[in-house]
Amino acid sequence: MRHYDWLAHYARATPNAPCWTDLHSSRSYNFAEANDRVRKLAAHLAGACDVEKGDRVATLAMNSDASAVDRCSCRKCSVRVRRRRWFWRDAWRRRRSGPGRRSL
């Protein structure tokens, strides 16, 4: 276990305790389920996508339980993650291209 892998620690210690709840969809995951999802995505990133320690990975996703899985998977692979949200990007584009164009 890596020193920052708290998810694996709690998956072993309290596997049935609640970990994440997506308020919009009401999906809930316990620590064992969350660790399993994170482990699978981390294995995919390392195997199929050739992501190595120190690489930078960008994700573009809505704010949901999937974004938590993305962040934890990247940490498990020891890569840096940069998150972008749909609503932030769209608001930024509207502000940059609007009629009264404001500087940021």
Side-chain angles (χ1 to χ4, degrees):
M1 181 175 83
R2 295 183 177 121
H3 72 281
Y4 58 84
D5 201 354
W6 61 268
L7 193 58
H9 167 74
Y10 284 109
R12 281 194 308 276
T14 57
N16 295 322
C19 178
W20 295 320
T21 300
D22 186 1
L23 297 177
H24 180 70
S25 67
S26 299
R27 284 183 290 197
S28 181
Y29 301 95
N30 60 31
F31 279 104
E33 293 168 338
N35 189 49
D36 189 48
R37 289 184 71 190
V38 166
R39 187 182 48 78
K40 286 178 182 177
L41 181 58
H44 175 74
L45 288 173
C49 300
D50 294 328
V51 173
E52 297 175 346
K53 181 177 180 176
D55 287 349
R56 293 174 187 239
V57 176
T59 61
L60 179 60
M62 302 212 37
N63 199 9
S64 68
D65 60 317
S67 62
V69 172
D70 291 346
R71 282 192 313 272
C72 291
S73 297
C74 288
R75 289 187 183 121
K76 214 177 256 288
C77 291
S78 299
V79 299
R80 298 182 69 171
V81 64
R82 174 75 180 184
R83 290 180 55 215
R84 297 282 187 202
R85 293 190 187 99
W86 290 102
F87 65 88
W88 182 85
R89 186 189 65 172
D90 291 340
W92 181 79
R93 280 187 181 163
R94 281 193 304 268
R95 195 169 20 184
R96 293 284 296 185
S97 62
R101 195 171 151 175
R102 297 171 16 200
S103 62
L104 297 177

